[in-house]
């Protein structure tokens, strides 16, 4: 059915140079960079190895099969609002579970973080109730890697179009995707408000690039895998390039249960369940965990030993702590004429005038807006209409007819502050289908986030008004579950007492263990984390390769 | 909030009044086996896979109230009942107890309001509407499942048995193609001339 996997084949007993846990946005980059640098790499991915030919325009199928994401039925989790509550079974976190990870089904919004995101704590001061800190690196240090992401994976955009963009060393490799009616409305609204709409930077190629065909605007991006590989997932980009080196093996259906360490406290490999649930130990000189902000801390916590009784690399107690999601709010508007947001890549214009909110408003953080209509027909029928619309009957039918092609949703994406008690931990009783402890999520929004989301939604309503919406409405601002931007749970920092990994993603406690994904984020940014996850991964790979070449990992 | 807003889609699936929690994800615990079902004995001789004739008529009647047929076709013409029937015998099998309970409850409501009525499907339109309003107000899980099932039957790919002749898609103006170019809509119609 599939092309046979390319790349190398290693025996588990072979001690490879690196074993990478997770073949997603970060793991794909690590695999490609490390194998290109000459190292022998095994990538273990819990999900299947699907190809473009496996993806279809099938809304119900994607929903039913849970083919691209973790499946709550076999991987349940629990949720509680605070540490004093008993967690109950509830689907709280969702992530990509396939070779390519979340980058297979994402929308492809590739915002860079701005300079402020890395130094907000020292610039703006502390926030009560938040474990707010600066990053151990600044934007300027990451900038070359942002540029690298844009060129290596293929990002479409227009340099210089956003007046709030941070400095960049090079333009985009590809021009922006075509503007849509929703984008024209964003421009109109921004102009009226004295703001600036600019072409959305998207990880979807607008022209043929490096052997891949350009986007044909079918519109099935969000939640779907791209049928022509125009979406710049690691499945379409990094993974095949890693395999092409002949030094990288991608092993799908491999569910890692433990990072193994020896008496000296060094990582020796990982144990995983294969597709037939046999336990296999893959030996490696160094371990790179890229399993996402929920699974990476879970794996470290499951890897406890007598030497590391609180979980691996957790002498600080920061493994699992400071879980962040990215806040936000959605508002809807209906217009006189057809918008047809379902055609073409989802987002074509972004507004970042509130990236840093006027200090007089008294809110920490900030955010950005985009205009889109992202709901495929079934979900639109179930939740796309104004919140006060009838749910059935002649009027409901009439509204479906009128609104599907004429609605726009303004998405506000915003800061989520780190709160020490928001966390990923192991559920004390619930197990997954492999008998491993389920993820337990503890989360309550910081009061600043609640106010910020409200503020952003008020502005979104003004945008809809300025765009000429005939009617506009607010969707609930309560955090939605399951959440998908899983951030902050293996914080990076210079101080081993308050962080899990150093500024190069190397665990403070285990010198041949790296954690590279959204879990390293010190702050949440304003939304759209994947671009930053990949920039960090390119940088981490450079450093890990340097260390390995100097013999510091073996 | 999500990058792809998978979160939002999940939200709609999981928690928007729990509609899709009971339908689209088929994730309810306690999967029923066929033998535990009170609706649809294995040897029934109806035209449906899951429902008896009477059950099927009631479900079709509800779907038809949700998306009625008026100047344009509705759930009836789209074959929503065929979709629901087929789903309950395949990927949505876990939902069968919910339907069995829901239909039994419906029967009781019909009997209470209209002692001489043969079934929900045989009531007149205003009587059906009144009972459906009752169901909605009772926050019945069956009612929310019917909303979700009807939407899925109306708008899922026709291969699943509903959305016959793409009636649902035509209704809302969705066209499932593999290639689109500008202009996408009214407001970007002049963009081609812009640099």
């Amino acid at each position: 059915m599939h092309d046979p996997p390319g790349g190398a084949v290693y025996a588990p007993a072979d001690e490879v140079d690196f074993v990478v846990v997770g073949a997603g946005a970060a793991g794909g980059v690590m695999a490609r960079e490390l194998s290109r640098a000459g190292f022998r790499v095994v990538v273990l991915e819990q999900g299947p190895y699907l190809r473009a030919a496996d993806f279809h325009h099938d809304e119900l199928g994607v929903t039913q099969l849970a083919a691209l994401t973790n499946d709550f039925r076999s991987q349940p989790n629990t949720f509680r609002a605070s540490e004093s509550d008993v967690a109950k079974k509830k689907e709280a976190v969702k992530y990509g579970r396939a070779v390519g990870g979340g980058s297979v089904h994402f929308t492809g919004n590739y915002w860079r973080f701005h300079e402020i995101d890395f130094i907000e704590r020292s610039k703006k001061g502390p926030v009560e109730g938040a474990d707010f800190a600066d990053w151990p690196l600044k934007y300027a240090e990451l900038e070359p890697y942002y540029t690298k992401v844009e060129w290596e994976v293929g990002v479409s955009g227009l340099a210089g179009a956003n007046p709030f963009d941070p400095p960049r060393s090079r333009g985009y490799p590809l021009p922006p995707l075509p503007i849509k009616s929703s984008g024209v409305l964003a421009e109109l609204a921004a102009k009226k408000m004295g703001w600036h709409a600019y072409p959305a930077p998207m990880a979807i190629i607008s022209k043929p690039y490096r052997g891949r065909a350009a986007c044909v605007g079918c519109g099935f991006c969000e939640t779907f895998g791209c049928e022509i590989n125009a979406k710049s997932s690691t499945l379409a980009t990094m993974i095949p390039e890693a395999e092409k080196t002949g030094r990288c093996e991608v092993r799908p259906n491999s569910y890692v249960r433990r990072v193994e360490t020896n008496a000296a406290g060094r990582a020796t490999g990982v144990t995983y369940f294969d597709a037939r649930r046999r336990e296999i130990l893959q030996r490696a000189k160094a371990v790179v965990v890229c399993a996402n902000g929920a699974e990476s801390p879970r794996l470290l916590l499951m890897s406890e030993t007598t030497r590391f009784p609180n979980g691996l690399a957790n002498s600080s107690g920061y493994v699992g702590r400071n879980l962040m999601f990215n806040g936000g709010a959605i508002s809807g508007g209906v217009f006189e004429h057809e918008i047809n947001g379902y055609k073409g890549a989802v987002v074509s214009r972004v507004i970042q005038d509130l990236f840093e909110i006027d200090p007089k408003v008294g809110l920490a953080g900030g955010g950005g807006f985009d205009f889109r209509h992202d709901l495929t027909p079934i979900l639109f029928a179930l939740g796309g209409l104004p919140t006060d619309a009838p749910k059935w009957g002649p009027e409901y039918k009439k509204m479906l007819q009128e609104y599907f092609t004429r609605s726009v949703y303004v998405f506000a994406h915003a800061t989520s502050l780190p709160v020490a008690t928001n966390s990923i931990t192991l559920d004390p009783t619930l197990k997954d289908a492999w008998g491993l402890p389920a993820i337990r999520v503890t989360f309550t929004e910081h009061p600043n986030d609640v106010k910020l989301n409200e503020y952003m939604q008020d502005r979104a309503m003004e945008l809809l008004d300025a765009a000429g919406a005939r009617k506009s409405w607010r969707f609930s601002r309560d955090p939605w579950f399951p959440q998908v931007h899983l951030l902050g749970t293996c914080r990076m920092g210079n101080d081993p007492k308050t962080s899990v990994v150093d500024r190069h993603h190397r665990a403070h406690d285990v010198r041949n263990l790296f954690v590279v994904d959204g879990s390293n984020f010190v702050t949440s940014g304003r939304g759209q984390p994947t671009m930053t996850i990949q920039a960090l991964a390119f940088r981490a790979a450079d450093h890990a390769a340097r260390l390995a070449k100097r013999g510091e990992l073996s | 909030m999500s990058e792809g807003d998978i979160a939002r889609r999940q939200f709609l699936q999981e928690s928007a009044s729990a509609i899709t929690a009971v339908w689209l994800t088929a994730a309810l615990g306690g999967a029923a086996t066929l033998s535990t079902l009170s609706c649809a004995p294995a040897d029934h001789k109806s035209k449906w896979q899951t429902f008896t004739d009477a059950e099927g008529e009631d479900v079709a009647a509800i779907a038809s109230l949700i998306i009625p047929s008026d100047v344009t076709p509705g759930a009836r013409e789209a074959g929503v009942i065929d979709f629901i029937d087929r789903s309950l015998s395949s990927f949505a099998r876990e939902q069968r107890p919910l339907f069995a309970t829901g239909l039994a409850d419906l029967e009781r409501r019909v009997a209470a309001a209209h002692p001489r009525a043969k079934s929900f499907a045989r009531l007149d339109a205003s009587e059906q509407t009144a009972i459906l309003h009752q169901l909605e107000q009772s926050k019945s899980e069956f009612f929310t499942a019917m909303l979700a099932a009807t939407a899925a039957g109306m708008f899922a790919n026709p291969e699943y048995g509903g959305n016959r002749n793409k009636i649902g898609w035509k209704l809302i103006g969705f066209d499932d193609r593999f290639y689109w170019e500008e202009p996408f809509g009214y407001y970007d119609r002049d963009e081609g001339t812009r640099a």
Side-chain angles (χ1 to χ4, degrees):
Chain A
M1 196 150 62
H2 301 306
D3 299 326
V9 178
Y10 298 106
D14 287 344
E15 187 185 51
V16 294
D17 297 308
F18 289 94
V19 62
V20 177
V21 182
V29 170
M30 296 302 292
R32 187 246 206 188
E33 292 298 285
L34 292 170
S35 59
R36 281 196 165 188
F39 298 104
R40 301 183 315 145
V41 180
V42 169
V43 185
L44 300 172
E45 164 57 47
Q46 57 158 299
Y49 201 149
L50 303 171
R51 314 282 172 154
D54 297 312
F55 304 139
H56 304 289
H57 285 196
D58 180 357
E59 182 183 5
L60 192 68
V62 159
T63 318
Q64 276 301 322
L65 300 173
L68 300 178
T69 53
N70 53 319
D71 188 343
F72 186 66
R73 290 165 284 196
S74 57
Q75 298 171 293
N77 47 77
T78 61
F79 178 84
R80 57 185 184 170
S82 79
E83 288 174 340
S84 56
D85 298 337
V86 175
K88 295 201 178 86
K89 200 166 159 180
K90 166 175 170 171
E91 186 163 16
V93 293
K94 195 85 175 169
Y95 56 81
R97 182 180 181 277
V99 173
S103 73
V104 173
H105 69 246
F106 71 10
T107 308
N109 290 294
Y110 261 38
W111 304 5
R112 293 180 177 209
F113 277 19
H114 294 195
E115 287 144 306
I116 185 67
D117 284 309
F118 300 88
I119 53 172
E120 202 153 12
R121 164 68 181 82
S122 53
K123 282 268 185 187
K124 304 278 174 74
V127 178
E128 200 188 327
D131 192 2
F132 202 18
D134 284 350
W135 288 55
L137 74 164
K138 291 198 166 65
Y139 173 79
E141 232 178 301
L142 202 54
E143 195 288 328
Y145 296 102
Y146 277 124
T147 296
K148 201 165 183 177
V149 174
E150 288 166 358
W151 285 80
E152 296 305 305
V153 312
V155 178
S156 303
L158 183 62
N162 176 15
F164 305 98
D165 242 356
R168 56 165 55 242
S169 54
R170 199 177 178 191
Y172 288 93
L174 293 151
L177 293 156
I179 190 168
K180 303 180 20 162
S181 281
S182 53
V184 173
L185 293 171
E187 286 189 345
L188 178 70
K191 201 167 168 195
K192 281 203 188 154
M193 289 177 70
W195 289 357
H196 310 78
Y198 68 99
M202 302 293 284
I204 298 173
I205 52 177
S206 56
K207 304 273 181 209
Y209 191 65
R210 298 194 178 179
R212 289 191 289 136
C215 173
V216 293
C218 82
F220 278 71
C221 311
E222 186 181 309
T223 319
F224 297 89
C226 181
E227 293 165 49
I228 61 163
N229 277 335
K231 193 194 282 186
S232 299
S233 65
T234 55
L235 176 69
T237 60
M238 300 291 103
I239 298 283
E241 291 174 17
E243 289 178 333
K244 210 170 285 173
T245 65
R247 285 183 289 273
C248 178
E249 178 186 354
V250 177
R251 220 174 277 164
N253 307 308
S254 302
Y255 189 37
V256 178
R257 66 166 304 172
R258 187 176 179 82
V259 177
E260 302 295 345
T261 45
N262 62 16
R266 298 181 69 84
T268 55
V270 302
T271 301
Y272 66 96
F273 293 106
D274 74 0
R276 293 164 59 192
R277 300 198 181 183
R278 294 174 299 196
E279 278 191 59
I280 295 172
L281 167 66
Q282 175 62 52
R283 299 180 63 230
K285 289 180 182 147
V287 174
V288 186
V289 177
C290 304
N292 77 51
E295 290 290 357
S296 290
R298 177 188 185 219
L299 179 59
L300 296 181
L301 294 171
M302 290 194 298
S303 303
E304 93 293 342
T305 62
T306 45
R307 187 190 172 108
F308 302 106
N310 300 319
L312 197 58
N314 194 26
S315 64
S316 64
Y318 269 66
V319 170
R321 198 186 281 193
N322 285 321
L323 174 65
M324 300 174 285
F325 295 132
N326 284 135
I330 299 175
S331 311
V334 65
F335 290 79
E336 194 62 35
H337 299 287
E338 286 195 350
I339 289 160
N340 292 329
Y342 73 89
K343 302 178 182 179
V346 176
V347 177
S348 67
R349 287 295 181 277
V350 173
I351 298 169
Q352 290 195 335
D353 287 75
L354 296 184
F355 208 89
E356 290 188 63
I357 293 171
D358 186 338
K360 279 181 278 188
V361 177
L363 291 168
F369 302 94
D370 70 55
F371 281 48
R372 61 172 85 172
H373 178 110
D374 60 326
L375 294 178
T376 32
I378 302 172
L379 286 185
F380 173 77
L382 294 174
L385 291 178
T387 40
D388 60 359
K391 301 268 184 274
W392 57 281
E395 181 61 18
Y396 169 67
K397 183 186 177 191
K398 201 171 133 225
M399 289 181 81
L400 292 179
Q401 279 178 280
E402 184 190 340
Y403 278 60
F404 181 73
T405 52
R406 291 178 181 80
S407 296
V408 154
Y409 306 115
V410 177
F411 276 53
H413 309 271
T415 302
S416 169
L417 288 170
V419 174
T421 47
N422 288 341
S423 67
I424 296 288
T425 49
L426 303 181
D427 193 88
T429 52
L430 189 66
K431 306 281 188 234
D432 71 8
W434 290 258
L436 305 178
I439 287 170
R440 178 175 63 181
V441 174
T442 307
F443 189 83
T444 296
E445 281 180 298
H446 189 283
N448 178 82
D449 298 355
V450 178
K451 287 189 206 130
L452 176 61
N453 292 343
E454 184 181 3
Y455 179 81
M456 294 296 286
Q457 193 171 47
D458 289 346
R459 304 290 85 71
M461 294 297 280
E462 291 167 10
L463 280 167
L464 281 162
D465 192 39
R470 238 171 44 205
K471 171 187 170 81
S472 56
W473 64 95
R474 296 163 190 262
F475 289 101
S476 165
R477 288 189 306 271
D478 293 339
W480 296 339
F481 292 97
Q483 284 280 339
V484 298
H485 290 187
L486 311 172
L487 309 170
T489 48
C490 294
R491 177 179 276 195
M492 63 173 0
N494 294 322
D495 184 352
K497 290 193 191 66
T498 56
S499 58
V500 178
V501 298
D502 69 15
R503 60 196 304 280
H504 292 110
H505 302 261
R506 190 183 193 183
H508 291 299
D509 301 345
V510 183
R511 303 307 281 162
N512 63 342
L513 171 68
F514 299 82
V515 183
V516 187
D517 56 27
S519 72
N520 306 129
F521 283 28
V522 180
T523 59
S524 71
R526 269 73 169 161
Q528 322 305 13
T530 311
M531 170 56 144
T532 298
I533 289 171
Q534 291 193 315
L536 291 171
F538 273 108
R539 180 173 169 276
D542 268 5
H543 189 72
R546 264 198 308 276
L547 291 174
K549 280 182 181 154
R550 291 205 301 253
E552 287 186 36
L553 297 181
S554 45
Chain B
M1 205 75 29
S2 125
E3 133 94 36
D5 277 79
I6 310 301
R8 173 171 193 235
R9 303 179 64 96
Q10 285 295 325
F11 165 76
L12 292 174
Q13 288 167 24
E14 302 297 329
S15 58
S17 71
I19 288 171
T20 42
V22 295
W23 184 262
L24 284 184
T25 65
L28 283 188
T33 59
L34 291 176
S35 60
T36 67
L37 290 167
S38 57
C39 69
D43 59 346
H44 73 287
K45 291 194 179 60
S46 88
K47 57 186 159 176
W48 286 297
Q49 297 176 30
T50 306
F51 297 124
T52 63
D53 285 341
E55 288 168 343
E57 278 164 24
D58 283 354
V59 171
I62 296 172
S64 196
L65 289 173
I66 293 170
I67 302 185
S69 310
D70 39 38
V71 290
T72 49
R76 197 172 290 281
E77 293 77 15
V80 165
I81 179 63
D82 297 321
F83 167 86
I84 297 175
D85 179 60
R86 238 208 245 181
S87 307
L88 289 172
S89 285
S90 53
F91 65 84
R93 188 171 283 122
E94 292 168 23
Q95 308 303 316
R96 290 173 74 155
L98 180 62
F99 273 71
T101 313
L103 286 167
D105 173 56
L106 185 72
E107 204 175 307
R108 278 194 297 276
R109 287 173 190 272
V110 170
H114 308 283
R116 291 175 171 186
K118 288 208 170 77
S119 71
F120 179 79
R122 305 289 168 90
L123 297 177
D124 71 33
S126 64
E127 291 167 343
Q128 289 180 346
T129 304
I131 289 186
L132 204 58
H133 275 297
Q134 261 186 36
L135 268 188
E136 182 177 25
Q137 279 152 20
S138 75
K139 297 192 193 310
S140 124
E141 274 199 346
F142 170 64
F143 175 76
T144 50
M146 275 304 303
L147 291 182
T150 303
M154 197 73 191
F155 301 114
N157 289 9
E159 297 84 77
Y160 289 99
N163 192 12
R164 193 178 295 150
N165 300 322
K166 304 184 183 178
I167 279 172
W169 290 347
K170 285 175 193 157
L171 177 74
I172 60 171
F174 172 76
D175 190 356
D176 184 29
R177 287 199 215 159
F178 287 82
Y179 180 86
W180 290 111
E181 60 186 7
E182 318 89 284
F184 301 111
Y186 175 86
Y187 300 95
D188 64 308
R189 69 198 183 286
D190 298 327
E191 292 297 321
T193 57
R194 199 168 73 159

